[in-house]
Amino acid sequence: MSDQFVAEIRIFAGTFAPVGWATCNGQLLPISQNTALFSLLGTTYGGDGKSTFALPDLAGSAPMHPGAVAGGTDHFLGESGGTPTVALLASEMPIHNHSLMASTENGTLKGPVPTEFLGRSKAGTIYQSNTASNLAQMNAQALSVAGSSLPHDNLQPYQAFTFIIAMQGIFPPRG
């Protein structure tokens, strides 16, 4: 890989960083051995700024451009956010109900469609068409609470790659 700018980040399909590159894993580096890279990154991604600075940590993260999000908050270079899992609380769900209508009539259908509801089971036919006249809402206790307040994955579809940063190369001129 030639003609890269110092601090340029690329996606790499390998499991290692080529010569002159390092993986974006948040590692601390000595300023004294990487002055050009430090002059571009500073302590944006960590380090004490006296003897060390850090590379960006893109492990398990999706990169995002800094700036304003439409109708939202500004995001700054080096800012981290988001979470890989989330526990959805009842207070975060829209108001809705799970009422279930049923009939005492014998079921005549084997499969549900939007215009059907539960009927009395008769030889594997448990659904009734919407022509029944004696519909009643089932007891709310017949439907149990779902969920256990445990976090679930909150990941967009992904393909794993290695992010690498150029340790050597052309110092980028300001444009």
Side-chain angles (χ1 to χ4, degrees), residues 85-164:
T85 61
V86 66
L88 188 61
L89 305 174
S91 62
E92 297 171 322
M93 295 189 332
I95 295 174
H96 66 288
N97 61 32
H98 289 273
S99 61
L100 183 62
M101 301 300 282
S103 171
T104 57
E105 293 182 18
N106 289 334
T108 58
L109 305 167
K110 291 185 179 183
V113 295
T115 60
E116 299 168 356
F117 47 86
L118 288 176
R120 192 181 320 178
S121 180
K122 178 181 176 188
T125 53
I126 60 169
Y127 295 95
Q128 180 58 270
S129 69
N130 64 0
T131 58
S133 58
N134 56 349
L135 286 177
Q137 186 169 335
M138 291 181 68
N139 187 322
Q141 293 176 344
L143 301 172
S144 63
V145 174
S148 59
S149 298
L150 295 175
H152 64 277
D153 285 343
N154 190 33
L155 301 171
Q156 62 187 349
Y158 63 89
Q159 174 73 53
F161 288 99
T162 302
F163 285 90
I164 55 174

Side-chain angles (χ1 to χ4, degrees), residues 29-49:
L29 297 175
I31 294 171
S32 61
Q33 296 175 19
N34 301 281
T35 54
L37 186 58
F38 173 70
S39 69
L40 294 167
L41 298 182
T43 57
T44 302
Y45 305 101
D48 62 15

Side-chain angles (χ1 to χ4, degrees), residues 60-87:
S61 297
M64 183 173 107
H65 192 280
V69 176
T73 313
D74 285 349
H75 292 283
F76 304 98
L77 189 65
E79 177 183 358
S80 294
T83 180
T85 61
V86 66

